[in-house]
Amino acid sequence: MKVASVVGTRPQFVKAAALSPEIRRRAKEIVIHTGQHYDEEMSKVFFESLHLPEPDYDLGVGSGSHGQQTGLMLAGVEEVLDKEKPDSVLVYGDTNSTLAGALAAAKLHIPVGHVEAGLRSNNRTMPEEINRIIVDHISTSLFAPTKIAVENLRREGIEKGVHLVGDVMYDLAMRSANSSKTKEILKEMGLRSKGYLLATVHRPANTDNRSNLEAIIEALQECGRPVVFPVHPRTAKAIRASHIFVHRSGGNIARIEPVDYLTFICLLTNAEKVITDSGGVQKEAYFFGIPCITLREETEWPETVETGWNLLVGARKKEILRAVRKFEPKGRPAMAFGDGHAAERIARLVAGG
Ligand code: UD1
Ligand code: UDP
């Protein structure tokens, strides 16, 4: 049994790190890296720190318009699949790499397994929403993380091949929570546990809209707490282009390069609150019971909002600041993301054993 995993972006390296060892226990896996993310801190550090196997193929596609990037990846993945002839292809999440991998495989009549199937934000201006819808409709096996995801698929007429397996990011988060190396970052940065906010921003709706980006940065500057801000390269570029001032030192914002996964989980679990527009980070905040202030109008993870642990505030400065002061969920989040064995379940379904 030969399984090809297509990855290309930071969140996919994280998801593959949960699943790859389980696949390798049961089958031969080849890893195809599209090259969508290529900076060392967006790619290589994840392979190293999460002990991911080196990619067998690196397509080196890099950045570009949606059509250009997806087209190059489609041609590249197709060529590899044609040569390797895997029995099955795994794709993760909702990026352009996911779309290219699924489309290339489906056209070659190779069964496609979609990890994180069935998510919907119901906002079709998000490129991810288009990718999710298409990939779900051409996948053979749909590995849904939550009951809501199963229901979303059912509503679109997809019932065959749907498996409620739980969330592979939950599996990995539980395994990684107590990694020993991590507390170093708090010492290095002079941070007190629960004495700072953690912020990430990278959605085009926020980075490519100057007034939204400005409102978010101003809220971070005025929130009255230290803020750790690992800056995504898209956001770094937008900040440079718009000449918005973000403190490098001396102010309350510590603007840093993106960090590796274990360091990020340490920064997250010790934060008072998280401010983010990331899909994965909303979920991770929930796993660890960290209040999450989401810089979006909707989410593909409604469980986190319905249970009171995630507040959607868009890019409105006043609402962000109010949430920093007042958003205090009580108790612990009720778990909705499986039992920590999602990866094992997926690997059994894909490769048997
Ligand atoms: C992509 C995904 C998004 C996911 C995110 C995770 C799509 C459509 N978007 O968004 O769903 O949430 O990854 O982080 O697939 N860049 C660099 N170095 C890199 C990578 C990117 O400088 O290693 C810069 C380039 O200027 C590039 C921009 O970031 O144009 C955006 O990169 P791209 O991969 O197109 O989208 P992301 O915003 O990273
Ligand atoms: N992450 C990381 N370092 C960072 C920021 C995020 O390791 O500096 C991890 C985070 O823990 C999560 C994943 O990257 O597992 C989320 O990726 P991202 O926010 O880029 O994409 P999304 O989930 O929105 O698609």
Side-chain angles (χ1 to χ4, degrees), residues 10-11 14 46 169 202-203 230 258-261 264 278-280 284:
R10 172 166 76 182
V14 172
F46 290 88
M169 285 178 70
H202 75 274
R203 294 280 156 218
V259 293
D260 69 85
Y261 174 79
F264 190 82
S278 157
E284 287 165 344

Side-chain angles (χ1 to χ4, degrees), residues 2 114 130 140 144 158 162 184 203 211 217 225 234 257 260 262 266 280-281 286 290 299 305 340:
K2 194 197 264 188
H114 185 200
I130 308 290
T140 325
I158 306 175
V162 175
E184 288 161 22
R203 294 280 156 218
S211 71
I217 301 289
R225 292 144 167 84
R234 173 191 280 282
E257 295 291 320
D260 69 85
L262 294 177
C266 173
V281 175
Y286 185 86
I290 310 296
T299 178
V305 174

Side-chain angles (χ1 to χ4, degrees), residues 49-50 176-177 179 181-182 259-267:
S49 67
L50 294 170
S176 311
S179 158
K181 81 169 249 210
T182 52
V259 293
D260 69 85
Y261 174 79
L262 294 177
T263 303
F264 190 82
I265 292 296
C266 173
L267 286 170

